[in-house]
């Protein structure tokens, strides 16, 4: 959901986070929505979407007189120089419990017996209520009881906090490097504002204060903030559903259809969850007011489960062939995810 990152900070500004930051949010929203010069204090604001399969970062450097410009981090280690991709795979490679690589570079270690790669580790942080599978049992299975989602194990001797710390540290360091090298006088600006920058983290609709607390502790250990108190002051959370609605309104010419009393639904089909929310527009002027018609839904039906189904099918069909080894299956699933799945639109028999 890297495109939604463009609206994470926007949603945060609209919804008014902690009281100490509400004025900043008001300045930001006025500057962004009306293309007015920004009137608040100089700030760096970073929005991080750590997803199940892919992750991304956006940021803005707001200063008095500027027009707010949201930018994506598009240079990551291990990417081809001309790729300019804003998304990176959410992977951490280990050897003997030591971090070897993250992101795109960690792909090189998948399938290598000397290394272990943490993937889909976001699923470990889901509350128990989100670990119940929303998919029916596989055809022909004898599954009984409450079905649960299959979560890949973490590398041997590595706990979930260590994985999150490693990946957050990697994303934050790469963001710093990108900012410094792509912003005039970037090194001096980062050093001057780093102790006061706002960090916004996207979370699934089904996460609660326990998961937020975990993320704050991991961010502190990753060096993004200095203390628990600093984390409470500078780290804000935005649900993926809330970010999605503002992105949708900004990108669908909402002024042509959004009226008082209008109802609309927004669905965010992510890597591990699909979040759906139904809204009613209560006011358009002097400011937009939206209200949830019913509680948002968060179900386990994300893209990783399509990949897992493809993996099971390929293993079954190729189990007695020379292509049935784990490395070959992994390569096939990766190509399926990058090409076949993304090209499928429901109208063709094959891709």
């Amino acid at each position: 959901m890297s495109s939604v990152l463009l609206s994470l900070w926007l949603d945060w500004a609209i919804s008014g986070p902690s009281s100490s930051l509400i004025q900043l949010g008001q300045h930001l929203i006025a500057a962004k929505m009306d293309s007015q010069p920004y009137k608040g204090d100089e700030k760096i604001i970073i929005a991080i979407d750590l997803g199940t399969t892919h992750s991304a970062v956006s940021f803005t450097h707001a200063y008095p007189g500027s027009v707010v410009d949201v930018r994506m981090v598009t240079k990551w280690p291990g990417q081809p120089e001309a790729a300019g991709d804003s998304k990176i795979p959410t992977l951490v490679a280990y050897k003997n419990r030591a971090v070897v690589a993250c992101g795109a570079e960690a792909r090189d270690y998948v399938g290598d017996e000397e290394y272990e790669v943490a993937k889909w580790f976001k699923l470990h942080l889901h509350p128990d209520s989100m670990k119940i599978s929303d998919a029916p049992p596989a055809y022909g299975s004898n599954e009984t009881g409450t079905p649960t989602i299959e979560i890949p194990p973490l590398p041997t001797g590595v706990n979930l906090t260590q994985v999150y710390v490693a990946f957050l540290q990697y994303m934050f360091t790469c963001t710093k490097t990108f900012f410094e090298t792509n912003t005039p006088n970037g090194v001096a600006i980062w050093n001057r504002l780093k102790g006061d920058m706002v960090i916004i983290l996207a979370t699934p609709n089904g996460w609660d204060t326990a998961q937020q607390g975990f993320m704050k502790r991991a961010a502190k250990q990753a060096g993004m903030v200095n203390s628990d108190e600093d984390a409470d002051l500078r780290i804000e959370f935005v649900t993926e559903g809330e970010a999605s609605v503002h992105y949708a309104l900004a990108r669908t010419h909402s002024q042509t259809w959004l009226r008082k009393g209008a109802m609309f639904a927004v669905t965010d089909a992510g890597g591990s969850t699909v979040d759906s929310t139904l809204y009613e527009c209560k006011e358009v002027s002097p400011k937009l007011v939206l209200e949830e018609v019913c509680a948002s839904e968060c179900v386990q039906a994300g893209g990783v489960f399509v990949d897992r189904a493809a993996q099971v099918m390929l293993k079954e069909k190729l189990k007695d062939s020379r292509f049935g080894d784990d490395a070959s299956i992994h390569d096939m699933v990766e190509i399926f995810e990058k090409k076949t799945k993304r090209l499928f639109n429901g109208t063709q028999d094959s891709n």
Side-chain angles (χ1 to χ4, degrees):
M1 56 173 289
S2 62
S3 59
V4 176
L5 253 294
L6 294 169
S7 291
L8 283 183
W9 70 272
L10 188 59
D11 175 78
W12 163 79
I14 291 173
S15 56
S18 58
S19 57
S20 61
L21 295 172
I22 288 177
Q23 188 175 17
L24 169 63
Q26 292 171 339
H27 288 309
L28 280 169
I29 199 63
K32 182 62 179 176
M33 298 299 286
D34 301 327
S35 297
Q36 299 174 3
Y38 172 73
K39 299 178 181 179
D41 295 334
E42 185 179 13
K43 289 278 185 181
I44 295 175
I45 303 167
I46 296 175
I48 297 176
D49 178 19
L50 197 161
T52 303
T53 58
H54 292 86
S55 298
V57 179
S58 68
F59 66 89
T60 187
H61 171 217
Y63 54 91
S66 68
V67 176
V68 175
D69 178 31
V70 180
R71 301 163 60 192
M72 303 293 296
V73 176
T74 56
K75 183 72 172 67
W76 301 91
Q79 282 184 342
E81 188 66 28
D85 196 352
S86 61
K87 293 200 298 184
I88 55 168
T90 309
L91 300 172
V92 184
Y94 289 84
K95 183 175 183 180
N96 298 326
R97 294 184 292 181
V99 177
V100 176
C102 295
E105 293 180 313
R107 280 186 178 142
D108 297 336
Y109 300 95
V110 175
D112 191 320
E113 294 182 355
E114 293 187 12
Y115 300 87
E116 295 180 89
V117 178
K119 70 171 187 175
W120 302 1
F121 52 85
K122 185 176 180 178
L123 300 180
H124 287 273
L125 194 52
H126 285 351
D128 290 340
S129 60
M130 290 180 63
K131 293 179 181 179
I132 298 174
S133 175
D134 289 292
Y139 178 77
S141 74
N142 295 317
E143 185 177 312
T144 60
T146 302
T148 57
I149 59 175
E150 182 181 353
I151 303 176
L154 297 175
T156 305
V158 178
N159 61 45
L160 186 59
T161 298
Q162 291 171 316
V163 177
Y164 262 90
V165 168
F167 200 74
L168 284 172
Q169 188 174 56
Y170 166 79
M171 295 185 76
F172 191 67
T173 300
C174 291
T175 300
K176 175 179 181 290
T177 301
F178 186 87
F179 182 93
E180 292 178 342
T181 56
N182 291 274
T183 303
N185 203 26
V187 174
I189 294 172
W190 183 278
N191 288 333
R192 185 175 72 250
L193 301 176
K194 64 182 180 181
D196 198 33
M197 71 172 58
V198 178
I199 300 168
I200 306 166
L201 301 177
T203 63
N205 287 11
W207 280 19
D208 208 336
T209 53
Q211 288 74 33
Q212 292 180 3
F214 176 95
M215 293 292 289
K216 282 186 176 182
R217 292 189 295 272
K220 184 183 74 171
Q221 293 185 43
M224 297 166 64
V225 292
N226 301 318
S227 63
D228 293 340
E229 294 75 14
D230 194 31
D232 290 338
L233 286 173
R234 297 199 289 118
I235 295 180
E236 298 290 339
F237 293 94
V238 173
T239 67
E240 293 163 357
E242 290 171 339
S244 296
V245 69
H246 289 291
Y247 180 83
L249 291 176
R251 298 303 175 104
T252 60
H253 303 289
S254 59
Q255 67 272 17
T256 65
W257 60 266
L258 189 61
R259 300 287 184 270
K260 183 176 180 179
M263 295 179 65
F264 63 96
V266 177
T267 298
D268 172 25
S272 62
T273 62
V274 175
D275 298 317
S276 301
T277 310
L278 184 64
Y279 292 93
E280 181 180 357
C281 178
K282 292 295 187 180
E283 296 289 344
V284 176
S285 181
K287 70 175 184 177
L288 179 64
V289 177
L290 301 177
E291 185 177 286
E292 289 188 10
V293 176
C294 56
S296 59
E297 292 286 342
C298 180
V299 298
Q300 297 292 341
V304 296
F305 302 110
V306 179
D307 300 344
R308 178 56 57 85
Q311 180 184 41
V312 171
M313 183 271 291
L314 289 168
K315 279 187 174 182
E316 176 63 26
K317 289 186 176 293
L318 301 174
K319 62 182 177 183
D320 296 322
S321 75
R322 60 191 180 96
F323 300 109
D325 60 285
D326 289 343
S328 296
I329 296 296
H330 170 267
D331 290 343
M332 293 178 197
V333 172
E334 192 168 74
I335 293 172
F336 168 82
E337 195 282 326
K338 288 182 178 178
K339 182 180 178 182
T340 309
K341 185 177 74 172
R342 300 186 190 192
L343 290 174
F344 180 75
N345 62 12
T347 62
Q348 65 270 58
D349 293 329
S350 63
N351 283 309

